[in-house]
Structure formats: structure tokens, C-alpha cells
Amino acid sequence: MTKKIYILVPLIALAAFWFYYSGFAKEYEAIELQKIEDAKEVRRAQMLQEQEDRKIAIEAALALNAERKAEREAKEAQDLAEKEARQAARDARDVAYRDRNKFENQMDDLKRQIAEVKSKIEEVEATKKLLVDEEKHLLTFVAAADSNVTKLQRVLQQIEDADKAAKAAAALAAATASKK
């Protein structure tokens, strides 16, 4: 019996330990499973939170991108408007320069034409003066020629009268000579 005790006591202790251990093991396994489930649940919650945070971050990034895009488009529109305004100012300046140059050329042409007209007027006035002087000279000459014509007509008349008188004297002399 003592030999049986040596086998039986450890077997009973082993059986008691096994019942105690199996209950503890089940309980420990349940606690461990619960810890694993809790850890999974925490991880799921963390993943959901991370997903939610990522979604919020993406929405914020999209909003920021949209805002930047709007700012960029506004800046591009402003730059384009400024560029167009500068180009319009350059075009207006170029038109003003072209108009100024055109008007300066027209003014130079008009001054040249005025100078030509003035020189023509001076030529015409000089010609007019010459013609007026020539007219005065001709009137004087015509008056002198008229007086010369009348004097020459008188002289011719006197010559004719003298010729008639000479013919009459010659005829008288011939008649007196034939009478004698």
C-alpha cells in the first residue's frame, strides 16, 4: 500500500492539478482570446480611425488643392489681364508713335509744300513786277511811239507837201521856162 500511495498520491495530485489546470487553462485561454479580440477590436478601431483621418486628410488636401487651383487660376487670369493690358498699352504706344511720325511727315510735307508755294508766289510776284514794269515801259513806249508816229506823219506830210511844192515849183519852173 505504501507503494500504491507513492503512485496514487502523485496521480491524485496530478488529476487535481489537471482539473485545476484545465479550468485555469480554459479561463486563461478565454482571457487570452478576449485580449486578442480586444486587440483586434482596438486595431480595427485604429484602422477605422486612420481611415477616417486619411479620408479627412484627403478631403482637406483636395480642398487645399482646389483652393490652390482657384488661386492659381485667379493669378493666371490676373497675369493674363496684366499681360493683355501691357500689350494694349504697347499697341497704343506704337499707334501713337506711328501717328506722331505720320503727322510729323505730313507736317514736313506741308512745310515743304508751303515753301514751294511761297517760292512760286515770289516768282509770280517777281514776274508780275516785271510785267507791270514792262507794261509801264510799253505804255511809255507806246505813248512815245504814238507821238513819234504823229511827228513822223507830220514830217511825212511836210515832205509830201514839200514834194508837191517842189513838183509845183518844178512844174512852174518848167512852165516859166517853156514860156520863155
Coordinates of all heavy atoms in Angstrom, one line a residue, residues 136-148:
K136 N 4.4 149.4 -117.9 CA 4.7 150.8 -117.8 C 5.6 151.3 -118.9 O 5.4 152.3 -119.5 CB 5.3 151.2 -116.4 CG 4.3 151.1 -115.3 CD 5.1 151.4 -114.0 CE 4.1 151.3 -112.8 NZ 4.9 151.5 -111.5
H137 N 6.7 150.5 -119.1 CA 7.6 150.8 -120.2 C 6.9 150.8 -121.5 O 7.1 151.7 -122.3 CB 8.8 149.8 -120.2 CG 9.7 150.0 -121.3 ND1 10.6 151.0 -121.4 CD2 9.9 149.2 -122.4 CE1 11.3 150.9 -122.5 NE2 10.9 149.8 -123.1
L138 N 6.1 149.8 -121.7 CA 5.4 149.7 -123.0 C 4.4 150.9 -123.2 O 4.2 151.4 -124.3 CB 4.6 148.4 -123.2 CG 5.6 147.1 -123.4 CD1 4.7 145.9 -123.5 CD2 6.3 147.3 -124.7
L139 N 3.7 151.2 -122.1 CA 2.8 152.4 -122.2 C 3.6 153.6 -122.5 O 3.1 154.4 -123.3 CB 2.0 152.5 -120.9 CG 0.9 151.4 -120.6 CD1 0.3 151.6 -119.2 CD2 -0.2 151.5 -121.7
T140 N 4.7 153.8 -121.8 CA 5.6 154.9 -122.1 C 6.0 154.8 -123.5 O 6.0 155.8 -124.3 CB 6.8 154.9 -121.1 OG1 6.3 154.8 -119.8 CG2 7.6 156.2 -121.3
F141 N 6.5 153.6 -123.9 CA 7.0 153.5 -125.3 C 5.9 153.7 -126.3 O 6.1 154.3 -127.3 CB 7.6 152.0 -125.4 CG 8.2 151.8 -126.8 CD1 9.4 152.3 -127.1 CD2 7.5 151.0 -127.7 CE1 9.9 152.1 -128.4 CE2 8.0 150.8 -128.9 CZ 9.3 151.3 -129.3
V142 N 4.7 153.2 -126.0 CA 3.6 153.3 -126.9 C 3.2 154.8 -127.0 O 3.0 155.3 -128.1 CB 2.3 152.5 -126.5 CG1 1.1 152.9 -127.2 CG2 2.6 151.0 -126.7
A143 N 3.2 155.5 -125.9 CA 2.9 156.9 -125.9 C 4.0 157.7 -126.7 O 3.7 158.5 -127.6 CB 2.9 157.5 -124.5
A144 N 5.3 157.3 -126.5 CA 6.4 157.9 -127.3 C 6.2 157.5 -128.7 O 6.4 158.3 -129.6 CB 7.7 157.4 -126.7
A145 N 5.9 156.2 -129.0 CA 5.7 155.8 -130.4 C 4.5 156.5 -131.0 O 4.6 156.9 -132.2 CB 5.5 154.3 -130.5
D146 N 3.5 156.7 -130.3 CA 2.3 157.5 -130.8 C 2.7 158.9 -131.2 O 2.4 159.4 -132.2 CB 1.1 157.5 -129.8 CG 0.4 156.2 -129.8 OD1 0.5 155.4 -130.8 OD2 -0.4 155.9 -128.8
S147 N 3.5 159.5 -130.2 CA 3.9 160.9 -130.5 C 4.9 160.8 -131.7 O 4.9 161.8 -132.5 CB 4.5 161.5 -129.3 OG 5.9 161.1 -129.1
N148 N 5.7 159.8 -131.8 CA 6.7 159.7 -132.9 C 5.9 159.5 -134.2 O 6.2 160.0 -135.3 CB 7.7 158.5 -132.7 CG 8.7 158.9 -131.7 OD1 9.0 160.0 -131.4 ND2 9.4 157.8 -131.3

